Amino acid sequence: MAVYKTANAIGEREDLSNVISRIDPAETPLISNAPKKTVKGVFTEWQVQTLASAVDTNYVNEGADYSYVNPTATSRLGNYCMISVQAGSVSGTLDVVEKAGRQRESAYVRILKGLEQRRDMDKYLFKNQARSGSDPRKAGALPSWITNADFSTAGTTSAVATGDGSDGATMSGNNRALSLALIDNANLLAYNDGGSPDMLVVSPANKVAFSDLSSGSAVTNQLHMTAGKPQDAVIIGSVSLYLTDFGTLNVVIDRQAPNTEAYLLDSDHYAIGHLAGRFFKTVDVAPTGDATNFAIVSEWTLIVDAPKAHGAVYDLSTT
């Protein structure tokens, strides 16, 4: 008996899901966890105050005259705003034809371009880039501000940056395996300079390496809370907690982080600055044909108001 099958029939409707799956990750913990501040110029500045070193000889004779010592002058730091752009162009026809998973294509592309720009910004913050006022302007990224780092002295010795955004770090030492000792040393350096790092930002590979570490001083690197309690802040990203001698480090995975570095950040002392109305702003561009043209524009910078509060581990061999 001949069976009439779908292969023989004409008119079967296409079965296309109305849901669009996006596999590419869009999380940007370094950007998402940073406070956002409006700045007023392409070069934004701030001041850092340093206290005199503590002494153990602060005692005087009864009735002695006072000795007047002026405080150390503030340091004036600054960073340049850079311009990040993602542009899109969608034909008039594509915008109005019926589509699965979205209505107006131009609105959908705007969302995608915004996500792409946020990922670009997050990745840039890890770049060993000094600030530059020459076109195109560039903001000094994290390595140009950090002065407390555990780096390799084997091979060609690495070195930290000056710490004012004007130069990058030297990362030329022989790479070595991640260890708790390296993290603890960077944490100690930052703590001794007055910082209290609360985020350990690592790549996915370094998170795996961190989870495999063992130490007599660490019962576990995962802390599970069974009872809720009020929280002053929310850390965004995949997190585990490392209980150190100087407080708790939230171990945050950032897919844009390099495998050769890990960063210990004091979240109270870094922020993203941007010019007013120039942070993920959608700019409509005059059409040059039958298309909707637009751009997502951000004019932004990294503000590190206390460079010594942070730490880093350089020259890692994680793969």
Side-chain angles (χ1 to χ4, degrees):
M1 180 179 65
V3 178
Y4 192 42
K5 302 179 180 178
T6 55
N8 307 119
I10 301 298
E12 180 185 5
R13 288 187 179 276
E14 180 186 54
D15 182 16
L16 177 61
S17 172
N18 206 38
V19 176
I20 299 176
S21 299
R22 189 177 66 241
I23 186 63
D24 293 314
E27 298 94 338
T28 53
L30 206 55
I31 292 289
S32 300
N33 284 304
K36 310 303 185 293
K37 297 182 179 181
T38 301
V39 300
K40 297 181 179 180
V42 297
F43 186 69
T44 182
E45 294 182 277
W46 58 91
Q47 297 181 78
V48 177
Q49 179 69 65
T50 301
L51 298 178
S53 300
V55 299
D56 58 3
T57 56
N58 192 350
Y59 38 80
V60 298
N61 295 331
E62 182 177 341
D65 289 338
Y66 297 129
S67 177
Y68 299 96
V69 179
N70 292 326
T72 302
T74 60
S75 298
R76 188 168 173 172
L77 304 178
N79 208 359
Y80 287 101
C81 286
M82 55 189 281
I83 303 173
S84 297
V85 175
Q86 257 83 6
S89 181
V90 178
S91 74
T93 303
L94 181 57
D95 231 4
V96 299
V97 296
E98 186 175 358
K99 298 169 289 292
R102 70 271 194 201
Q103 293 181 340
R104 293 188 66 84
E105 189 73 13
S106 56
Y108 180 65
V109 173
R110 280 183 172 91
I111 294 173
L112 296 181
K113 292 298 179 181
L115 292 173
E116 290 172 356
Q117 186 167 117
R118 185 176 291 272
R119 292 203 311 173
D120 287 353
M121 294 164 68
D122 197 77
K123 188 175 182 67
Y124 179 86
L125 292 180
F126 294 105
K127 187 175 182 178
N128 193 13
Q129 173 68 56
R131 71 187 187 201
S132 172
S134 302
D135 277 333
R137 294 190 306 272
K138 302 178 187 68
L142 271 177
S144 72
W145 295 98
I146 291 179
T147 58
N148 291 314
D150 188 293
F151 51 81
S152 174
T153 57
T156 304
T157 302
S158 296
V160 296
T162 303
D164 59 2
S166 64
D167 60 355
T170 302
M171 302 182 192
S172 53
N174 294 344
N175 289 344
R176 61 266 165 88
L178 179 67
S179 70
L180 292 181
L182 302 183
I183 297 171
D184 290 343
N185 185 48
N187 202 15
L188 173 63
L189 293 171
Y191 185 83
N192 283 342
D193 271 345
S196 296
D198 54 5
M199 291 172 57
L200 173 61
V201 185
V202 295
S203 68
N206 274 323
K207 179 58 175 70
V208 173
F210 176 82
S211 297
D212 289 340
L213 297 177
S214 61
S215 169
S217 63
V219 175
T220 174
N221 60 30
Q222 302 287 337
L223 180 63
H224 300 286
M225 304 299 292
T226 56
K229 65 176 181 178
Q231 297 291 333
D232 294 329
V234 176
I235 298 295
I236 302 173
S238 180
V239 176
S240 64
L241 303 181
Y242 175 35
L243 307 181
T244 77
D245 291 331
F246 310 108
T248 301
L249 282 175
N250 297 280
V251 187
V252 181
I253 304 171
D254 194 314
R255 289 182 173 92
Q256 312 307 326
N259 288 338
T260 52
E261 298 135 47
Y263 290 90
L264 294 84
L265 304 181
D266 186 331
S267 59
D268 289 333
H269 292 294
Y270 88 99
I272 299 300
H274 60 88
L275 293 178
R278 297 272 287 175
F279 197 55
F280 295 102
K281 179 181 181 180
T282 300
V283 178
D284 293 322
V285 182
T288 54
D290 183 20
T292 298
N293 301 325
F294 61 89
I296 308 297
V297 179
S298 292
E299 196 155 3
W300 65 286
T301 190
L302 172 65
I303 297 173
V304 183
D305 61 16
K308 295 192 295 184
H310 311 286
V313 180
Y314 295 152
D315 305 315
L316 295 176
S317 60
T318 314
T319 57

